[in-house]
Structures are given as structure tokens and as C-alpha cells.
Amino acid sequence: MLSRDLKYLLVVSANGEKLMYYSFTIPLLKPRISELNLVALKFAFISCLIKYINVALKGMSEAWEDALLLMDAKMADYAVNLPDGTTLADELLMLLASGKARDELKEFLINELTEKGLQKLGLSIKISYTTIKKIAASRVLKYNGWYKTAVSKLLANLHSAITSLQYHMSELLGMSNWYDKFGVLGLSPNDVKACLTALRCFAVKTHELLLIIENSIKSGGIFFEWLILVIRKLSGEVLPATQHQCPDSGDLKLLINFLKKHLTVTSQPGARKQQFNMEVVGQYFDNQDLSNIMEMSHTIWDKIISHAGLDDCLWFGDYQPSKSLIQLFHCLHQQVDHVFALTNVCTYCRLIVARAPY
């Protein structure tokens, strides 16, 4: 352990039945005690936030339901027997336009998907996605004091954790640029900038996931409600006057886009089955590249960034659209470890943290 003034390092080791006691003088640390304490504090905060984000991601992954994958499989089985050149999206669009369905489609909707099955599936997906969204985007309390107190007060929020991490890393970047004080300890501005870039990519991917969840809840809800009404009509049930088979103009546009986007063929040529991609959230929690990449909209803000030459800026660079959320978190974690590990600063930081009062 370290002495309180960082002048001595005390080590106890076992050699058989004997205990060996060593005392080392470390005069290089004592003049830097203030700087080491500041770096240790940043190390503690950043380490806690990384651990917290990891726990939040595990919670999001556990909240995800794979029920839509079963529906994708049922649709793929049905699509095997479709006429050549016809897709399930074509059949459903024709059903939406004319209100008529082939006998095979009618049997599939009534006996395979079923009204109760769709109701249960829609509710399950809504609860699952809403839970993930709350973990990623709800507010947390601010925290003060030493890092152990901070851990107990970090309350379920990925977005706020990312914001806090950006704050501490930005301060660490300023410290690393002050070479006479902190640079001599081994902090590298380039390594900290790489951390900020990795954090920015992770933050954008989190926002992308939230957009997909919001769109899936809205568009998927409209799709399930429409299918349930279709099944009721095809079953011969008399619908109340307040219910309409065709959605209004706004929902109709969302429904058509949903059918075109999620019920198109995604399998390779020559494959036995057509594959569908109604479930697009779970892929973000896999440690592999995304199989269905979301097309980011080109907003006015995107154009401002492009024309202002901010593409290479720490917070406006390329966001790696093909990477999953888990992949980008692992990259961020590695970059953070790299900042401290190369300099051995983390060794002193852990010793300082260990002897700090709680």
C-alpha cells in the first residue's frame, strides 16, 4: 500500500511460511501528489460510468423479447409456397388495397398468426421496447461526493451516463494537454481524443436505437391493429361501425412503408426460404455487425455539419453505421483502458482510491 504522502510503497509477500515485508522509497510520486489525486478521481469516475453503462446494456438486452423472430419464421414458411415473383409484402399490399385475400393467405392469417396471437405479440413487443427505451432515455439524479457514493446514486439512465462520461473525458483531455502537470504522468491527448471519438460513436448509435424503437412501436402497432381487424373481417365477424379496416391517411403511409421495409425478401439468391426483418432491435445487442442497417435521414443539421467541414470533429465524425451498440461499447471500453493502462497511472490511481475515505 502507499503511505498517505506517497513517499513510501509498502509491500507484504508470502515466501513459504515466512512473510516478507518490503518498503520502497518513491520520491518521484510525492511532488506530483496533487496531480495524481486529480487523475485518480477522474479514473474513478470514468471507471464507474463505464461499469454502469455495461450494467445498463445488460438490462436492455435482458428486456429484449425475441417474439418477432418467431413471426418472421412463420412468414418465411408461408412464403415458400408463394407463386414465383410474388412476395408476402405484395400480397398484404393487395389485401390493403382491395380487402381481398387468396385462400392460402386467409388460412395463414386466421389459423397461423391468429387474432389472440397477434394481440399477445403486440403487447409483448410494446412492453419490451418501452422498457429498453426507459433504460436508455429516462432521467437520473445528479450525484456528488466520492465515487462509491456516485455508484449508489446512478439510477437507470444510459443517456445521462454518456453525458457525464463526455464531461469527465473532456476535462481529462484538458488535463492531458497540460504537459508539465499531467502529461509527464503519461496522459496522452491523442489517446483521450480517441476515447471521445469512440464515445461519440456510441452516443449516436444509442440515439439510433431509440429512433428505431420509437418507429417500431408506432409502425408495428399500426401493423398489428390492421392485421387483427383483417382477421376479424376474414373470419366473418361483423365489425362495429367505429372500427375501420383501412387506417387513416397518416397511419396508412406508415403501414405501407412498414410493409415495404420489413416484409421484403432479405435472403440470398438460391435460398430455400425468404427471410424477413421485422425484428431489428435485438441485433444491436449482438457482438457482431448489424444485419439490417438503418438509413439515417439527411436533416438540415446533417447538411450544416457537412458544409461547415465538421466531419472530422470529435463529436461530428463518422458514426460507423454497420456496427452494433455492443461492438461500439467494447471499443469505448478498450480506448478508456488504453488511456490509463499504457502509462501505469491506473496502478497508482487504484492505490490512491483504495486508501481514500468513503
Side-chain angles (χ1 to χ4, degrees), residues 321-342:
S322 64
K323 299 299 181 182
S324 69
L325 190 66
I326 295 299
Q327 283 180 310
L328 293 180
F329 172 70
H330 288 166
C331 178
L332 171 62
H333 198 173
Q334 291 171 2
Q335 291 291 348
V336 170
D337 289 343
H338 184 72
V339 166
F340 294 100
L342 280 184

Side-chain angles (χ1 to χ4, degrees), residues 22-42:
Y22 302 93
S23 177
F24 300 94
T25 302
I26 43 178
L28 295 179
L29 288 183
K30 186 175 181 180
R32 301 291 178 182
I33 184 170
S34 297
E35 292 84 351
L36 279 172
N37 277 325
L38 289 174
V39 175
L41 188 61
K42 285 299 169 192

Side-chain angles (χ1 to χ4, degrees), residues 220-233:
I222 295 172
F223 173 68
F224 288 131
E225 289 175 2
W226 172 70
L227 272 187
I228 289 172
L229 291 177
V230 167
I231 291 175
R232 288 176 179 175
K233 183 177 180 180

